[in-house]
Every structure is written in structure tokens, then in C-alpha cells.
Amino acid sequence: MQRLMNKFKNRMRAMTEILEGPTAIATGVDRLTNGQLVAFPTETVYGLGADALDGHAVAKVFALKGRPATNPLIVHVSGIQMAKTVVAQWTQEAELIAKAYWPGPVTLVLTKADCVPGIVCANGDTVAVRCPAHPCALALIEAFGKPIVGPSANPSGRISPTTPEHVADGFGDVDLIVIDGGHCRAGIESTVVDLAGDISKVLRPGIVGAHAIGETLGKSVECVTQQAEDSVARSPGVVGAHYQPRTPTKLASTGLLASASESVVLLAWSTDVHPSGGTLISMPQDLGQYASMLYRALHQGDKASQDSIWIEEPAIGSTAQDQAIRAAIIERLDRAAHG
Ligand code: AMP
Ligand code: MG
């Protein structure tokens, strides 16, 4: 009898379920329609989806993530046509960038349309919008027929998820489905470009750099993440602690790695690193591949339950593209480091 009761209780316990294929999309649409959450893959990281036009559903995203209400969400769309429904004005600059990079890892900040609930935009007058380059994300949005919010599907401040298992591990036993789209190719979050102010600027670096955005717009575009005051005002998500493993983590120069003890996890790309102790996780020298693997390596390092994680500073790139990716990686690593 007791065993039967336990079996029943286990069945009743909420759990995160990983689903694949057309059934996953259909179940996802059902859940979104009922105001529930659905974790879905994008080319950057896994997102925690909800109907972007339903304030109650969006509130569940903030609650599950433990995300401060002051940090606005990105609205995911299936293309330019849907993007136009959530902004007050689709500008010529938006058209140029969307045509050049969508579907892809570039988010545009524009003046919001009235239909977007205030909670999505932290009660500001702008909305961030992006069309993700992942077949599952596009299939989900198209089948749902409406935009969905999609912050990273992890507890606020922690390492972003790039596999369905990361999502399930992060939230534990909650009633959530994760659409399995494999490992995220780009591996770090989108470039956020602010087109709402007088001067266009990059608020968060990503795989697509400010230089490339500038070339698309035919003018110079700055990345302003270092200007703390402006960042607080325009993009609250790019300040403070973020991307953090539970294990104390530091950025280390190549020379320092040899002094690692048994209880250190090392993320290193140099092939000539021979630490006397510790657990080595080999990182790629190629910066695109490094970005793709970074969060997976941090999750793996955290799971090793050692005293600390040391990350070798990534290789210096030679091309403008490499330099952009490196800057985006460094922005994450600087904020992953703590303790
Ligand atoms: P996440 O979805 O967790 O990758 O974070 C979304 C990023 O987009 C954060 O850095 C937010 O601050 C930024 N963001 C979202 N909406 C806006 C907006 N309306 N204005 C400026 N930044 C935004
Ligand atoms: Mg996030």
C-alpha cells in the first residue's frame, strides 16, 4: 500500500519533461495557449517562452527565473512582419539590420506598441525584439501565431543553458516542458542594438559585433556596456552579477594555470598547459567554437564540485569578427567570475 502511495505521489510531483519533434511543438503551442511556460532552443541559448501579449503568462517567467521586474525581456518573432506588430514604428535602420541578420543573434530595441504588456518591457517605452535562427523556435512561434518572450531558461544570475538538460537541472521539479533542439550553436546571448534613442548603440555584445552593425547601418556604432550609468538606464540586464557558476570562479592568465591544485577545474585552450593538479576541460582556440562551448564547459565545471574554477583568458583573435566574439566572451567571463 505504501509503495502504491509513493508511486502515486511521484506521478503527482511536478517535473521538467524534455520532448522532441512535432509532438513537442504541438504540446508547446497548447501550453502557450493556456498561459503556461515552454522552454525552447534558439541558436544562442535555451529560452523560457510565454505568450508575449499575455501579462499573466509573462509574470510566470519572472517568478520561475527569480528575475527582477526591472530587467526587461526579449520578444521573439518569426520574422519582420510579426516584429512590426510589437513596435510603434519599424524604422529604416531596423529594416536594414533585420534584413542583414535575421533570423539570427541580433536583438533590436525599438519604441513599443501598445499591445505589449508593460511587464515585458519593465514598464519602459521600448521593446526588444529578435527573430531566432533555430528551426524549433521558428516552428513554435509560427504554429503559435504570436510573439513569445524568451529570456534564458535558467534561474536569474546563473549560467545560461545551452542543452535541454541544463534547463531541467536548473529548475528542478517544476511543471515545465523543454523542446529538445540539441546543443545551441552560437552558445552566447544575442547582440542587443538600441535603435530607439537618437544615437544607435550596442547595449550587449554578442557574436555580431558593433563594427558589423555599423557597416550595415553605414555609420559608426559604439558598444556602451562599459558606460555603467547609461547601461543601467537603457539595458539593466547588462550590469551586475550574471552567468555565475555556484563554484567560485576566476579568470586566469596562461602563466598562472601551472600552479593549479587538485581541487581546481581548469578551462584552458593552450595546448601547452600541464597543470600539476586539477581537472582540465579543454577549450577550443577558435573563438566562435569557444563561445559555442563556454556555458556547457561552465556547467560541467560546476558539476565537478571542486573548490574553484579557473578560466584561461581566451585567445586573442586576428579578425574584426574574432575581436567582436572575444569581447562578448570577456563580458560574460568578467561577470561569471566571483568569490
Ligand atoms: P536575456 O533575455 O536574459 O538574455 O536578457 C535580455 C537582454 O536584453 C538584457 O540585457 C536586457 O536588459 C535587454 N533588454 C530587453 N529589453 C530591453 C529594452 N526594452 N531596452 C533595453 N534593453 C533591453
Ligand atoms: Mg539570461
Side-chain angles (χ1 to χ4, degrees):
M1 187 63 189
Q2 188 58 44
R3 269 172 72 192
L4 255 177
M5 287 288 288
N6 282 344
K7 210 170 163 187
F8 181 68
K9 266 196 209 151
N10 280 341
R11 281 236 179 103
M12 295 298 290
R13 202 174 60 195
M15 54 182 278
T16 306
E17 214 185 331
I18 298 172
L19 302 175
E20 297 178 74
T23 327
I25 302 294
T27 311
V29 170
D30 264 0
R31 292 211 161 203
L32 292 173
T33 307
N34 289 322
Q36 292 172 289
L37 310 185
V38 176
F40 65 99
T42 79
E43 82 281 30
T44 60
V45 303
Y46 273 73
L48 188 60
D51 181 345
L53 304 183
D54 175 352
H56 292 292
V58 174
K60 294 178 190 169
V61 171
F62 280 93
L64 181 58
K65 280 183 63 72
R67 184 173 174 114
T70 48
N71 192 357
L73 306 181
I74 295 173
V75 172
H76 291 69
V77 294
S78 56
I80 291 177
Q81 206 183 339
M82 193 182 279
K84 287 179 178 171
T85 67
V86 295
V87 302
Q89 201 197 347
W90 183 252
T91 63
Q92 208 175 347
E93 293 197 333
E95 180 80 9
L96 281 173
I97 297 179
K99 281 250 168 78
Y101 297 106
W102 283 7
V106 178
T107 297
L108 302 177
V109 173
L110 292 158
T111 310
K112 88 179 203 48
D114 291 342
C115 65
V116 182
I119 186 171
V120 172
C121 314
N123 287 315
D125 54 6
T126 59
V127 64
V129 60
R130 170 169 109 86
C131 175
H134 195 292
C136 294
L138 291 172
L140 181 70
I141 302 166
E142 265 161 23
F144 183 51
K146 286 201 278 176
I148 59 181
V149 293
S152 51
N154 59 313
S156 201
R158 295 285 167 206
I159 315 165
S160 301
T162 53
T163 68
E165 290 76 21
H166 293 160
V167 180
D169 286 353
F171 290 129
D173 293 335
V174 292
D175 180 19
L176 179 70
I177 67 156
V178 187
I179 297 174
D180 187 350
H183 176 254
C184 302
R185 185 166 40 83
I188 57 172
E189 294 80 355
S190 60
T191 307
V192 178
V193 187
D194 184 1
L195 297 178
D198 294 337
I199 299 169
S200 306
K201 52 200 166 208
V202 167
L203 300 177
R204 176 174 72 184
I207 299 288
V208 178
H211 181 74
I213 298 292
E215 285 198 333
T216 304
L217 296 181
K219 63 183 190 185
S220 107
V221 171
E222 257 187 279
C223 183
V224 297
T225 47
Q226 301 311 317
Q227 297 167 20
E229 260 177 50
D230 189 76
S231 297
V232 171
R234 299 296 306 179
S235 195
V238 293
V239 291
H242 210 135
Y243 319 113
Q244 293 193 338
R246 292 180 195 285
T247 314
T249 298
K250 75 169 178 183
L251 212 52
S253 62
T254 307
L256 199 66
L257 300 181
S259 64
S261 70
E262 287 293 336
S263 56
V264 172
V265 177
L266 293 171
L267 270 60
W269 58 269
S270 299
T271 46
D272 57 348
V273 170
H274 302 292
S276 48
T279 311
L280 183 65
I281 298 179
S282 290
M283 297 299 289
Q285 184 168 354
D286 175 87
L287 289 157
Q289 288 171 25
Y290 187 108
S292 173
M293 202 187 142
L294 175 62
Y295 292 143
R296 207 162 28 155
L298 285 176
H299 279 284
Q300 192 188 337
D302 218 8
K303 273 203 160 170
S305 302
Q306 295 290 3
D307 289 350
S308 56
I309 298 172
W310 291 9
I311 306 170
E312 180 186 13
E313 285 167 359
I316 307 281
S318 48
T319 64
Q321 162 77 359
D322 275 348
Q323 280 156 14
I325 300 175
R326 188 173 193 274
I329 292 169
I330 294 285
E331 193 263 340
R332 274 53 171 198
L333 294 182
D334 273 345
R335 295 167 62 203
H338 69 102

